């Protein structure tokens, strides 16, 4: 029986300490691959904790990919150690990484507990796949949708993305901005911020990612910019205009954005665990842009073994980097947020990217990168002396918003709100034979209709009902998105089956079933229930009678 002294923990809950101990033992091979873990009841009795503590720990380890659950058999350890060893072998043959000297910033500290705890809908908007606008109220009576003057159905429920109604932290933000203007010295109010951002904001962000994303970084590694759109063009210049790989399916404008910055782009196929690393190798890319914590649009969470495999790829060649896009990491509805890929990067190959568009508001237009030490030094050399693209007043306000705890309170409130909206939508689908994939994290999930439907007809009929929605097929790239480069993509129906986790044993029908991408962030709970009922009615109307 496994045994841990959980009372010796320095901080955090019993559940968090148990997760941390078991993570380490699985990665190091102390718990062997495929080892049958103790039952929840027996393990709880042995540890002297409640069954719910063990259950929550097992659920978190399953979510992160360290453990798998087999119905009626129990929990088993996954083979993580072999991928970690492979990465270590790659590291041992790589050149040693230069360490940066002290820059005068205060250290964040390294004794942290693992796994503590709204990017604007940029690609959807830019690609014309739905504007990030809140949905207006609709009648629950099923009345016909009012047409606009142009005869086009008015969108009452936008399931392609949006901003939650009444979500802006108006009271806290206005108070902090007023205090900043009153308290800040003239030299801060009248001058532009440095290109990398104000020191106090960079320090506040470093502390935040340390406690929330298990990232032990120094403030000088943090670069502040005008949202993701303001940071993307920096990456080719910083990493080199080599070949970049993007996930397929994925954000439609991501490939176009890189291509517009004179980067050759490879669209690389995915499976249910994330990007296919063998296909990535075959693509010849030197840089890959991934969303491991909650992929858009598939909802996939990259398990730990695949993360180590990806890190091993980055360590196999000089100049390889991983861009970790953590766009909605704060919103996990079951268990704790998945730790960032950057937190297990020992080779300084991960560039971490996030924004405050989803957590605060898209109008803030403020994002940040966390760079490996040698890239932070390169950034200083390349951009030193330039002014920031973000208002100094907004940077000072956000610094206080983070440091005073107002940000955490706001995110907790929004997490509860979005969980309620998601639950209302799922309840509105009661009676419909379907599956919700990737629903435990982020602000969207994939609705598998479990039958092949005419997708254009489905979208058109839903629009007649006032519902705008996109299918998973809409997010597959095309050669025009990447400057003509399109590699490692399989047949569309086969690819849909892979990203949804279907197998040959489930048949081709499962792989070809229609899948809707449900972005519920712009809805209220009541709107979500009404939208779900309309979606259910249209699917039932179009579904073949034998399905």
């Amino acid at each position: 029986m496994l045994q841990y002294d959980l009372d010796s923990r320095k901080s955090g809950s019993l559940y968090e300490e148990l997760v941390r101990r078991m993570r380490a033992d699985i990665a190091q091979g102390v718990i062997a691959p495929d080892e049958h873990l103790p039952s929840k009841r027996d393990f709880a009795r042995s540890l002297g904790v409640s069954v719910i503590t063990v259950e929550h720990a097992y659920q978190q380890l399953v979510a992160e990919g360290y453990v798998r659950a087999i119905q009626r058999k129990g929990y088993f350890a996954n083979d993580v150690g072999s991928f970690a060893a492979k990465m270590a072998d790659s590291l041992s043959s790589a050149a040693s990484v230069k360490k940066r000297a002290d820059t005068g910033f205060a250290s964040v500290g390294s004794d942290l507990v693992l796994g503590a705890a709204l990017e604007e809908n940029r690609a959807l908007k830019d690609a014309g796949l739905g504007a990030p606008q809140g949905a207006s109220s609709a009648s629950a009576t099923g009345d016909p949708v009012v047409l606009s003057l142009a005869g086009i159905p008015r969108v009452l429920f936008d399931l392609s993305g949006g901003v939650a109604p009444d979500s802006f932290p108006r009271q806290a933000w206005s108070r902090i901005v007023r205090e900043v203007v009153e308290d800040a010295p003239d030299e801060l109010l009248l001058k532009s911020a440095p290109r990398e951002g104000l020191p106090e904001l960079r320090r506040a962000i470093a502390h935040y990612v340390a406690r929330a994303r298990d990232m032990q970084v120094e403030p000088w590694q943090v670069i502040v910019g005008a949202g993701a759109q303001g940071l993307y063009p920096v990456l080719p210049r910083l990493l080199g205009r080599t070949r970049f790989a993007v996930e397929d399916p994925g954000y439609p404008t991501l490939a176009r954005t890189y291509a517009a910055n004179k980067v050759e782009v490879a669209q690389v196929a995915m499976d249910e665990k994330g990007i296919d690393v063998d296909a990535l190798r075959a693509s010849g890319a030197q840089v890959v842009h991934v969303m491991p914590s909650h992929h858009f649009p598939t909802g996939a969470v990259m398990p730990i073994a695949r993360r180590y495999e990806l890190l091993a790829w980055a360590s196999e060649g000089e100049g390889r980097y991983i861009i970790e896009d953590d766009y909605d990491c704060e919103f996990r509805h079951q268990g704790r947020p998945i730790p960032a890929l950057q937190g297990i990067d020992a080779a300084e190959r991960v560039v971490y990217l996030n924004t405050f568009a989803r957590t605060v508001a898209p109008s803030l237009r403020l994002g940040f990168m966390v760079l490996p030490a040698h890239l932070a030094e390169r950034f200083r050399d390349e951009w030193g002396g330039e002014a920031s693209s973000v208002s100094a007043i907004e940077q000072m306000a956000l610094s206080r918003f983070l440091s005073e705890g107002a940000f955490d309170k706001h995110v907790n409130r929004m997490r509860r709100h979005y969980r309620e909206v998601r639950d209302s939508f799922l309840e509105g689908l009661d009676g419909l034979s379907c599956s919700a994939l990737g629903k435990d994290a982020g602000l969207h999930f994939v609705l598998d209709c479990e039958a092949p439907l005419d997708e254009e007809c489905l979208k058109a009929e839903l629009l007649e009902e006032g519902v705008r929605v996109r299918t998973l097929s809409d997010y597959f790239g095309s050669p025009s998105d990447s400057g003509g480069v399109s590699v490692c993509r399989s047949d569309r129906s086969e690819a849909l089956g892979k990203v949804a986790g279907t197998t040959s044993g489930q048949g081709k029908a499962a792989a070809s079933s229609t899948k809707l991408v449900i972005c519920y962030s712009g809805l209220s709970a009541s709107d979500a229930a009404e939208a779900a009922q309309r979606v259910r009615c249209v699917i039932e109307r179009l579904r073949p009678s034998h399905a």
Side-chain angles (χ1 to χ4, degrees):
M1 177 73 69
L2 296 171
Q3 194 60 251
Y4 299 105
D5 179 13
L6 301 182
D7 291 330
S8 64
R9 70 191 187 280
K10 295 182 180 179
S11 61
S13 65
L14 290 170
Y15 137 76
E16 290 173 327
E17 181 69 7
L18 181 57
V19 169
R20 186 184 69 79
R21 298 283 191 90
M22 293 188 70
R23 264 198 207 113
D25 283 353
I26 293 171
Q28 296 167 11
V30 176
I31 299 176
D34 302 320
E35 181 175 332
H36 193 175
L37 301 178
S39 71
K40 291 178 287 189
R41 192 171 300 278
D42 290 346
F43 202 12
R45 188 182 301 114
S46 173
L47 295 174
V49 300
S50 68
V51 174
I52 198 68
T53 295
V54 175
E55 182 178 6
H56 285 170
Y58 277 176
Q59 288 175 348
Q60 183 69 17
L61 291 165
V62 168
E64 295 180 17
Y66 286 89
V67 168
R68 66 186 182 278
I70 301 179
Q71 196 171 17
R72 297 190 184 89
K73 291 186 178 181
Y75 294 89
F76 296 82
N78 284 330
D79 183 7
V80 173
S82 62
F83 292 102
K86 183 177 181 181
M87 187 182 71
D89 290 342
S90 298
L91 282 173
S92 65
S93 62
S96 61
V97 179
K98 176 175 63 176
K99 299 297 181 183
R100 183 186 173 101
D102 181 27
T103 62
F105 278 108
S107 173
V108 174
S110 59
D111 188 15
L112 298 168
V113 178
L114 289 169
L118 284 161
E119 163 69 22
E120 69 274 13
N121 228 338
R122 57 191 186 269
L124 294 179
K125 181 179 179 182
D126 293 344
L129 297 184
Q133 300 172 351
S136 56
S137 299
S139 169
T141 62
D143 292 337
V145 178
V146 178
L147 298 183
S148 69
L149 290 177
I152 300 174
R154 183 174 53 169
V155 175
L156 300 178
F157 308 102
D158 192 348
L159 302 182
S160 62
V163 180
D166 302 320
S167 63
F168 188 76
R170 189 182 303 272
Q171 184 175 355
W173 188 259
S174 60
R175 172 184 60 81
I176 289 173
V177 169
R178 185 170 58 251
E179 290 173 355
V180 164
V181 174
E182 291 174 352
D183 300 343
D186 287 347
E187 57 265 28
L188 285 180
L189 292 175
L190 298 176
K191 291 183 179 179
S192 297
R195 180 64 177 84
E196 62 273 18
L198 289 175
E200 53 264 47
L201 177 57
R202 298 164 74 197
R203 188 178 296 114
I205 290 173
H207 279 279
Y208 168 69
V209 298
R211 71 176 184 270
R213 305 300 296 129
D214 188 41
M215 293 167 55
Q216 301 177 31
V217 303
E218 299 295 340
W220 47 261
Q221 294 176 256
V222 177
I223 306 298
V224 175
Q229 293 293 338
L231 293 171
Y232 286 157
V234 173
L235 294 169
R237 182 175 165 187
L238 185 65
L239 304 179
R241 287 184 168 83
T242 179
R243 179 176 286 196
F244 279 41
V246 297
E247 297 162 311
D248 190 36
Y251 272 117
T253 58
L254 193 56
R256 292 199 292 270
T257 299
Y258 285 136
N261 284 275
K262 301 179 181 179
V263 168
E264 203 173 273
V265 181
Q267 296 166 326
V268 179
M270 295 179 60
D271 59 24
E272 77 278 8
K273 297 178 181 179
I275 196 164
D276 185 327
V277 179
D278 288 335
L280 175 60
R281 286 192 180 93
S283 74
Q286 287 289 97
V287 178
V288 60
H289 190 126
V290 295
M291 301 176 183
S293 292
H294 186 241
H295 177 260
F296 187 87
T298 68
V301 176
M302 188 181 290
I304 188 64
R306 180 64 59 86
R307 293 178 184 227
Y308 277 127
E309 193 178 357
L310 189 59
L311 288 169
W313 166 84
S315 299
E316 289 169 1
E318 201 62 39
R320 287 187 178 179
Y321 291 99
I322 301 165
I323 301 168
E324 178 180 13
D325 193 334
D326 216 18
Y327 74 104
D328 67 358
C329 64
E330 293 85 1
F331 300 106
R332 183 160 183 82
H333 309 302
Q334 180 175 330
R336 307 295 289 178
I338 305 298
L341 178 64
Q342 193 274 352
I344 59 172
D345 172 29
E348 295 196 342
R349 299 301 182 96
V350 176
V351 173
Y352 179 88
L353 182 68
N354 204 343
T355 85
F356 294 95
R358 286 191 180 271
T359 47
V360 183
S363 58
L364 191 60
R365 300 300 298 170
L366 203 154
F368 65 95
M369 299 187 293
V370 177
L371 299 177
H374 64 287
L375 290 181
E377 194 169 72
R378 186 184 301 173
F379 183 94
R380 184 193 63 182
D381 293 341
E382 288 278 336
W383 281 273
E386 294 185 14
S388 174
S389 56
V390 181
S391 159
I393 293 176
E394 287 190 339
Q395 292 192 47
M396 287 186 280
L398 182 58
S399 173
R400 291 196 185 190
F401 195 63
L402 287 165
S403 301
E404 294 179 2
F407 177 79
D408 290 338
K409 291 179 182 177
H410 174 67
V411 168
N412 288 336
R413 179 175 71 86
M414 294 310 301
R415 190 182 293 120
R416 291 191 296 270
H417 166 77
Y418 287 127
R419 187 183 298 122
E420 181 184 1
V421 173
R422 180 206 61 172
D423 291 346
S424 294
F425 196 99
L426 293 174
E427 289 169 6
L429 296 174
D430 279 350
L432 179 67
S433 178
C434 62
S435 302
L437 311 174
K439 67 181 186 299
D440 291 334
L443 303 177
H444 78 279
F445 61 85
V446 173
L447 181 65
D448 188 340
C449 299
E450 298 185 352
L453 306 177
D454 184 320
E455 294 188 357
E456 294 307 314
C457 180
L458 173 62
K459 289 186 290 186
E461 293 215 15
L462 282 170
L463 192 57
E464 288 292 331
E465 295 291 333
V467 180
R468 175 188 287 154
V469 70
R470 298 292 165 180
T471 65
L472 189 58
S473 299
D474 291 328
Y475 294 96
F476 280 89
S478 65
S480 62
D481 293 334
S482 58
V485 178
S486 181
V487 299
C488 306
R489 185 185 297 121
S490 54
D491 173 77
R492 178 63 54 86
S493 62
E494 181 184 346
L496 283 168
K498 284 183 177 179
V499 298
T502 58
T503 65
S504 57
Q506 292 172 295
K508 292 184 177 180
S512 62
S513 66
T514 298
K515 298 170 180 64
L516 298 175
V517 179
I518 306 296
C519 302
Y520 53 83
S521 58
L523 303 179
S524 65
S526 58
D527 283 344
E530 173 64 18
Q533 292 171 15
R534 298 188 183 204
V535 169
R536 183 191 64 198
C537 291
V538 171
I539 291 175
E540 288 176 339
R541 187 162 68 240
L542 296 181
R543 179 179 280 169
S545 57
H546 58 80

